[in-house]
Amino acid sequence: MIIRRATLAFCLAALPFCLAAALAAPAHADKATEAMQNALSLYRQGNLGRAYVKIEDAAAAIERIYSARYAKTFPRAPRGWRADAVKSSAATKKQLGRGMSLSRNYVMPGATSVAKAELLVDDSGLVAGLIENLKKRGNSPRGGTRPIEIKGAGTAYLSGNPQSRYMTLSILIDRRFYIRISANRVDRPDVVVQQILKGWDFAALRKADGLK
């Protein structure tokens, strides 16, 4: 109970910041604001159990706000391709703790070619470790990975072989956003993954996260 009370106290202390985020996104603001105000009222009444539930409701509403913001930054489909709706992955999110995982599939109508853009938002250091592994492979002559510079983003890592018609491109932005783009059954997969990445709105991504 002491631990739970301490957790509630921490969460409720952050309510002003959470309210600001909720009010900036009207679509979910009412639910988030109402849940947080109810949580504060219940906490002051000593009803910790119901207050905790309301805190979780507020967190879920705010998560939907951020998910919608991140989704808007995803690249459009390259010419001749079709982009599906952006989806969130609950399975991957469990591994990220407070992080978030979203993805979008791209298909070429009338062909078997497919591509996928994935975004992991993480503040635990997990995504930084993924990039470190790619760096090591990129420094190895047999690693099958090579670094390339992306304007406005930094160093990305291209893995795979164009002859295999499958390649992936990975990049870490601000040590928080891990982006991975793959293309399969494509004649020039290296070109496709770079086209998709260059279409990503990095400024909007940072703004959505409140970094800029």
Side-chain angles (χ1 to χ4, degrees), residues 72-85:
K72 290 180 180 179
T73 72
F74 270 69
R76 297 179 180 178
R79 180 175 297 180
W81 291 69
R82 186 189 76 238
D84 292 342

Side-chain angles (χ1 to χ4, degrees), residues 113-188:
S113 302
V114 294
K116 185 175 185 178
E118 300 171 89
L119 170 66
L120 301 183
V121 184
D122 173 65
D123 54 11
S124 69
L126 172 64
V127 294
L130 295 175
I131 287 294
E132 286 302 318
N133 289 335
L134 287 172
K135 285 183 179 180
K136 292 178 182 178
R137 290 167 56 187
N139 292 330
S140 170
R142 297 183 179 181
T145 298
R146 62 184 176 91
I148 60 172
E149 292 300 316
I150 303 296
K151 185 177 180 180
T155 304
Y157 295 89
L158 192 62
S159 304
N161 189 326
Q163 282 70 40
S164 68
R165 305 184 74 206
Y166 175 81
M167 296 201 77
T168 63
L169 184 62
S170 304
I171 189 169
L172 179 63
I173 300 175
D174 299 334
R175 299 192 64 82
R176 176 167 170 77
F177 306 107
Y178 176 75
I179 292 174
R180 181 178 184 271
I181 300 172
S182 59
N184 192 21
R185 298 190 294 273
V186 182
D187 289 336
R188 289 297 307 275

